[in-house]
Amino acid sequence: MAGKNKRHQRPPHIDKTIDASEAHWPAAQTDGHGKPNVVLIVLDDVGFGQLGCYGSSIRTPNIDRLADGGLRYTCFHTTALCSPTRASLLTGRNHHSNGLASIPQLALAYPAHNAYMPRENGTLAEVLGSNGYSTLAVGKWHLAPDTETHPAGPFDRWPLGRGFERFYGFLMGMIDHWNPGALTRDNHFVDVPGGNGYHLSEDLTDHAIGFVRDAHAVDPDKPFFLYLAYGAGHSPHHVAPEYADSYKGQFDRGWDAERETILTRQKELGIMPEHVVLPPRPDEVPCWEDLDEDRKRVYARFQEVFAGFMTHTDEQIGRVVDALDAIGRLDDTLIVLMSDNGASLEGGPEGRLNEYAFYNGVEHDFADLLKNIDRIGGPGFINNYPMGWSMAGNTPFREWKRSTYQGGIADPLIMHWPDVLTDAGSIRNQYHHVVDLLPTIIEAVGAEIPETIRGAHQTPIHGVSMWYTTGNEAAPGEKIVQYYEMLGSRALYYRGWKAVSKHRPLSGAGNFDRDEWELFYLPDDPNEVNDLAAVHPEIVRDLVDRWWVEAGRYGVLPLDDRGFERWRDPRPTTRLQTETYAFHQNGQPIFERAAPDCKNRDFTISARVTPAADLATEGVILSHGNRYGGYVLYVSGGALHFVYNYCGEAEYHAEAACDFDAVVDVAAEFRKTGEHRGVLTLRIGGVETGTTEIPRTIPRLLPIHGNLSCGADRGGMSVSQRYTAPFPFTGTLDDVEVRLGPQGAIEHDKVFEAMVSEQ
């Protein structure tokens, strides 16, 4: 499908004067007029059984409308994890060949793991852009190394560096939907503090519609490619109470009964054959009937919140579809909707109110969950539901996200295109993988893949086009083989057979040559309940051998199932190691990996303050973090204040009076008195003005979506409840510095756990 760039046979003749010269405009890029539009919608951590049209009790009428007017796929697969799936989706190459064996935060110094997506693997945006499309991205990116997601760049792995002309969204893996703090517009950060009814999913939808309308208003015949990646249903599950309350009592029967209900509906819909039975409930998930009544109430509320979150997201998708219809572009638009992996297990057995607190060692007992039952899903919580509900969400499959069993990799896929897909509402059962979507879209819209993109010679596409399935329900599947590997868990599909290693992701077990493999024949056993390894050992040997062949072909090696141990490996840093950081007022926010690391060490924040001329001198001097943890130095009420927010659980406050009627130097000095504790001293004009004890400091990591800001608090919800963000500084700040002392011990295993939770 490669096409050569058109070039002029000779340059135009240029003489001394215009009348003797040949007029000629440089050739524009390929004219895309007349080609169909493409909208690619990606949901996050949504399992196979969590959409209404795939059997769920959750109401998703707008997604169902797409399914009723298009095609549903029952054998579509992803990589088992967020960033790897997105890399394969956008490039048509396997995730290890993109350097994304897992998420960018876990990058290692090997080609399969380094998070540097090669230029030779052009994205769908780059391909369609070269075919005359407007290219628009909105939502979650999570494809750039975290050492590059800051104002110094480089920006070539941000969306605009990979073929998109517009971007609005977030670069990290998760975010607060109520108070995101700072989002990214194109190649810079913008303040989005939230509040007053704000919700990120609505904001993303507004921008998606706005981008399309802006392009349409100027050139209504030019095709567009919209990549719309919602943060839903990744934690935190944030939604207004009326959405959650609309499910009141619906899940009181529990997760065991819910997955029975989902499977029954899947059979009625033709999603699953009649003979399919559920796999046993995992040991990690308690039997619902064994729970006490309070636990049933709380766990059911977690699911009501998640269901409301999904219904709210469905409404936003409906708004996008309606907007396309309103400008007359719906019928000639190919809409593809999918999820990036199976439902998540990160909520643990009981669910969580504040994931950041949990990963910093703060345990909320069940009494805390019960006390806050009516606040779950609201502002101030980073909540996640119990894994029993994600088990039900992955019905009828076993396991979860991260795993190469079907529960981690089997996902919903819908295609909708009124002008072309005439077999509306039908189902397709051919086996396919996310790597197949790029060639499918290219074939569907009649585009060509350039031999070179921005000077990089393009590698062959790894995927197989699925377009043949759209016109023939009974067409034999053309996907012959597909390998899987995620954090040490491995599998291989070959002509209906699937071998899966019994090797837990991140187990640290090693000894891959000694792995025990299970064998399933998916046409008869789509949810892997009948292990045939003992019956067909020769097929197991053949598939394992084929796995190694595919691993060599696509650069999968070296295998790594380590957990926190990999966090100790050397990796690139944002800047040279330094003890002093300097910041300027109202600069761009700086996220965790590029910000000063103040954990378990002495640190000093200092600044020169020039008072405001006509206003009261007040506002934030320097903040780092947000409601869920961090620290802030600010001026309010004629005093200098410092607050250390311990994981959203406690605030430790120091205060010193000051008139601020002249230029003055101020400082906050933290000195350790033990591991993860110390004393904070405020200084004004070099004079010590008081101390306060800080008995607990954040031991592992600050909120991933929080940031460091100078001159205002741009972290979303204020670091301290004593003021309201952004609380900009009204005077002038100079010489703002953070100076660091030697760092004490850090629990790398726990830092690693927290990073994995962002996936």
Side-chain angles (χ1 to χ4, degrees), residues 34-37 69-70 328-335 416-424 444 467:
K35 283 187 167 60
N37 313 301
R329 304 291 292 267
L330 179 61
D331 289 349
D332 68 338
T333 296
L334 169 60
I335 299 176
H416 179 275
W417 189 358
D419 276 354
V420 175
L421 300 179
T422 57
D423 194 10
W467 193 242

Side-chain angles (χ1 to χ4, degrees), residues 88-106:
S88 295
L89 169 66
L90 288 175
T91 68
R93 283 87 165 181
N94 285 298
H95 60 294
H96 295 87
S97 300
N98 281 303
L100 282 156
S102 61
I103 58 175
Q105 287 74 12
L106 306 186

Side-chain angles (χ1 to χ4, degrees), residues 310-611:
M310 289 304 303
T311 294
H312 178 261
T313 306
D314 176 81
E315 285 186 7
Q316 309 317 308
I317 292 170
R319 289 176 56 211
V320 173
V321 173
D322 290 344
L324 295 176
D325 197 19
I327 60 173
R329 304 291 292 267
L330 179 61
D331 289 349
D332 68 338
T333 296
L334 169 60
I335 299 176
V336 179
L337 182 144
M338 57 170 284
S339 178
D340 63 351
N341 46 245
S344 165
L345 75 167
E346 280 115 6
E350 289 207 313
R352 290 178 186 142
L353 287 176
N354 182 344
E355 289 191 299
Y356 287 126
F358 174 82
Y359 288 114
N360 276 298
V362 179
E363 297 282 354
H364 286 107
D365 60 22
F366 181 76
D368 290 322
L369 300 181
L370 184 60
K371 180 176 65 176
N372 289 287
I373 185 171
D374 293 327
R375 301 175 63 197
I376 296 171
F381 292 94
I382 300 293
N383 53 288
N384 204 345
Y385 59 2
M387 60 198 300
W389 291 116
S390 53
M391 171 196 70
N394 286 330
T395 300
F397 304 122
R398 58 193 284 193
E399 293 286 343
W400 293 269
K401 164 186 173 180
R402 304 186 202 175
S403 171
T404 57
Y405 286 99
Q406 292 293 91
I409 63 174
D411 282 289
L413 173 70
I414 296 168
M415 292 189 191
H416 179 275
W417 189 358
D419 276 354
V420 175
L421 300 179
T422 57
D423 194 10
S426 63
I427 291 170
R428 297 292 184 266
N429 299 309
Q430 293 89 345
Y431 190 100
H432 275 284
H433 183 263
V434 64
V435 79
D436 302 326
L437 279 176
L438 181 141
T440 302
I441 292 169
I442 295 302
E443 180 180 355
V445 303
E448 292 184 337
I449 300 177
E451 291 180 354
T452 62
I453 294 177
R454 301 186 186 185
H457 188 79
Q458 295 298 287
T459 61
I461 299 298
H462 299 164
V464 175
S465 173
M466 303 166 57
W467 193 242
Y468 72 94
T469 66
T470 61
N472 185 354
E473 180 180 3
E478 296 182 8
K479 183 76 169 182
I480 304 302
V481 62
Q482 179 62 48
Y483 84 90
Y484 297 89
E485 190 281 329
M486 186 52 62
L487 303 169
S489 174
R490 294 182 289 159
L492 184 104
Y493 168 86
Y494 180 69
R495 295 186 183 276
W497 292 96
K498 183 184 175 188
V500 189
S501 67
K502 297 172 71 173
H503 195 122
R504 303 296 297 178
L506 300 173
S507 64
N511 296 315
F512 292 99
D513 288 333
R514 299 182 183 178
D515 275 351
E516 182 181 349
W517 293 73
E518 293 182 282
L519 179 69
F520 308 99
Y521 187 62
L522 296 184
D524 295 340
D525 182 20
N527 62 338
E528 302 168 322
V529 297
N530 186 19
D531 178 13
L532 300 175
V535 180
H536 297 291
E538 75 287 355
I539 297 179
V540 175
R541 287 192 297 271
D542 178 58
L543 266 60
V544 173
D545 289 344
R546 289 180 186 276
W547 188 93
W548 288 106
V549 170
E550 296 298 294
R553 177 175 291 136
Y554 296 116
V556 176
L557 307 178
L559 293 172
D560 187 7
D561 66 351
R562 293 175 301 161
F564 74 90
E565 297 90 350
R566 70 169 66 195
W567 194 247
R568 297 170 178 162
D569 288 7
R571 51 177 39 87
T573 57
T574 298
R575 59 185 288 173
L576 297 176
Q577 294 298 315
T578 182
E579 296 178 352
T580 303
Y581 293 73
F583 303 101
H584 65 276
Q585 188 171 1
N586 299 326
Q588 287 270 280
I590 300 171
F591 289 88
E592 175 76 351
R593 283 293 295 278
D597 182 0
C598 294
K599 295 187 293 295
N600 204 21
R601 70 197 323 165
D602 295 348
F603 65 88
T604 299
I605 304 170
S606 59
R608 176 160 293 172
V609 174
T610 300

Side-chain angles (χ1 to χ4, degrees), residues 678-730:
V679 171
L680 191 286
T681 300
L682 291 177
R683 293 185 183 274
I684 298 175
V687 177
E688 179 179 320
T689 54
T691 63
T692 191
E693 182 182 1
I694 300 180
R696 300 176 294 177
T697 61
I698 296 171
R700 299 162 190 168
L701 92 166
L702 273 68
I704 293 165
H705 64 281
N707 60 68
L708 183 144
S709 298
C710 180
D713 181 340
R714 297 185 174 91
M717 295 186 75
S718 310
V719 172
S720 173
Q721 298 184 53
R722 294 170 178 267
Y723 64 87
T724 301
F727 198 29
F729 194 76
T730 57

Side-chain angles (χ1 to χ4, degrees), residues 12 127 135 211 235 253 309 397 471 498 599 614 636 652 757:
V127 172
T135 54
F211 282 173
S235 67
R253 294 189 306 141
F309 188 36
F397 304 122
K498 183 184 175 188
K599 295 187 293 295
D614 302 315
S636 179
Y652 304 110
S757 75

Side-chain angles (χ1 to χ4, degrees), residues 51-370:
L51 302 178
C53 52
Y54 279 81
S56 178
S57 302
I58 298 172
R59 297 185 296 275
T60 55
N62 294 288
I63 295 174
D64 298 352
R65 175 165 48 128
L66 294 177
D68 291 341
L71 303 175
R72 266 170 298 174
Y73 287 78
T74 66
C75 295
F76 175 72
H77 300 80
T78 57
T79 68
L81 208 60
C82 156
S83 303
T85 290
R86 292 159 200 266
S88 295
L89 169 66
L90 288 175
T91 68
R93 283 87 165 181
N94 285 298
H95 60 294
H96 295 87
S97 300
N98 281 303
L100 282 156
S102 61
I103 58 175
Q105 287 74 12
L106 306 186
L108 300 170
Y110 308 96
H113 301 261
N114 61 23
Y116 295 157
M117 205 159 68
R119 285 278 169 203
E120 291 77 11
N121 296 355
T123 68
L124 185 57
E126 290 170 322
V127 172
L128 293 181
S130 71
N131 281 263
Y133 278 70
S134 296
T135 54
L136 318 167
V138 176
K140 176 174 171 175
W141 183 241
H142 208 200
L143 290 173
D146 60 349
T147 52
E148 297 181 359
T149 54
H150 53 73
F155 302 100
D156 55 336
R157 293 182 181 88
W158 292 31
L160 268 61
R162 293 313 310 255
F164 289 101
E165 296 164 326
R166 298 301 315 274
F167 174 66
Y168 181 80
F170 54 104
L171 300 176
M172 67 285 287
M174 65 180 288
I175 199 163
D176 186 328
H177 289 80
W178 292 120
N179 302 91
L183 296 177
T184 304
R185 177 178 287 125
D186 300 331
N187 274 355
H188 65 280
F189 296 108
V190 292
D191 293 341
V192 185
N196 299 315
Y198 173 94
H199 194 284
L200 177 64
S201 297
E202 297 173 12
D203 187 15
L204 297 179
T205 302
D206 290 343
H207 277 80
I209 293 170
F211 282 173
V212 169
R213 284 176 174 167
D214 288 347
H216 176 81
V218 175
D219 192 347
D221 297 318
K222 184 179 181 180
F224 59 83
F225 166 43
L226 171 63
Y227 175 63
L228 177 53
Y230 287 102
H234 196 295
S235 67
H237 304 151
H238 283 164
V239 74
E242 58 264 28
Y243 286 90
D245 291 347
S246 72
Y247 286 95
K248 203 75 173 175
Q250 185 165 323
F251 302 107
D252 289 355
R253 294 189 306 141
W255 44 62
D256 295 318
E258 181 63 16
R259 69 174 185 153
E260 293 279 0
T261 298
I262 293 170
L263 180 57
T264 298
R265 289 187 179 133
Q266 288 172 338
K267 293 177 180 180
E268 293 170 352
L269 291 168
I271 298 294
M272 281 291 138
E274 285 294 329
H275 68 269
V276 168
V277 297
L278 290 170
R281 183 189 337 100
D283 293 340
E284 305 95 318
V285 177
C287 172
W288 186 265
E289 292 306 317
D290 293 342
L291 299 173
D292 60 52
E293 291 305 310
D294 281 342
R295 280 179 165 76
K296 288 179 180 179
R297 282 181 57 220
V298 171
Y299 298 169
R301 184 57 178 176
F302 271 111
Q303 177 65 1
E304 290 167 3
V305 169
F306 176 78
F309 188 36
M310 289 304 303
T311 294
H312 178 261
T313 306
D314 176 81
E315 285 186 7
Q316 309 317 308
I317 292 170
R319 289 176 56 211
V320 173
V321 173
D322 290 344
L324 295 176
D325 197 19
I327 60 173
R329 304 291 292 267
L330 179 61
D331 289 349
D332 68 338
T333 296
L334 169 60
I335 299 176
V336 179
L337 182 144
M338 57 170 284
S339 178
D340 63 351
N341 46 245
S344 165
L345 75 167
E346 280 115 6
E350 289 207 313
R352 290 178 186 142
L353 287 176
N354 182 344
E355 289 191 299
Y356 287 126
F358 174 82
Y359 288 114
N360 276 298
V362 179
E363 297 282 354
H364 286 107
D365 60 22
F366 181 76
D368 290 322
L369 300 181
L370 184 60

